[in-house]
Amino acid sequence: KHILNAQVSIRAPCCLQWYDCAECHAEKQDHTLEKTNVMAFICKKCRRAFRKDMTVYEESDEYCPHCDNHYVIEAKTPQPVLTVEADDVRRDPR
C-alpha cells in the first residue's frame, strides 16, 4: 500500500505482527513501533524467514540469505494522479 515494490515483510517486535512498512504498522496498531537491533524478515520471493543484526549490517546483507533476492531497493510509492473527468474546458470543441 505504501511501498509498492516491497521485497520483504518485517515483524514488529512490539506486537509480533508482520508488516510491509512502518506506516502499515501505524495504521493498524494503537501503539508506536518498538525499535530493535535484530530484525526479522520474510522474503516475498521465497517466503522464508530470516533475521538480521542491524548493528553489524553490511552491503551483502541486502540480499535474502535463502534465494539471493535483493530486498534493499529504492522504494516505489503510490503517486497521486490528477485526471479530468469531463471535457477539457480549455479546448475549443469547434
Side-chain angles (χ1 to χ4, degrees), residues 4-83:
L4 302 177
N5 61 337
Q7 299 296 304
V8 292
S9 290
I10 303 166
R11 189 170 81 173
C14 42
C15 56
L16 304 181
Q17 299 294 312
W18 295 94
Y19 297 98
D20 285 350
C21 68
E23 290 177 35
C24 290
H25 177 274
E27 280 184 358
K28 303 236 190 240
Q29 298 296 332
D30 60 356
H31 60 270
T32 57
L33 183 60
E34 184 180 303
K35 294 183 180 182
T36 182
N37 287 333
V38 178
M39 296 182 66
F41 300 94
I42 289 184
C43 177
K44 290 193 172 190
K45 183 176 180 184
C46 69
R47 303 268 188 222
R48 295 180 71 187
F50 59 97
R51 293 180 183 272
K52 293 285 182 185
D53 183 345
M54 304 312 279
T55 61
V56 290
Y57 197 83
E58 299 175 1
E59 188 174 331
S60 63
D61 292 327
E62 295 183 359
Y63 297 85
C64 171
H66 304 293
C67 71
D68 219 27
N69 181 31
H70 192 199
Y71 68 91
V72 179
I73 58 177
E74 185 176 342
K76 291 184 182 176
T77 57
Q79 299 298 318
V81 178
L82 180 64
T83 60

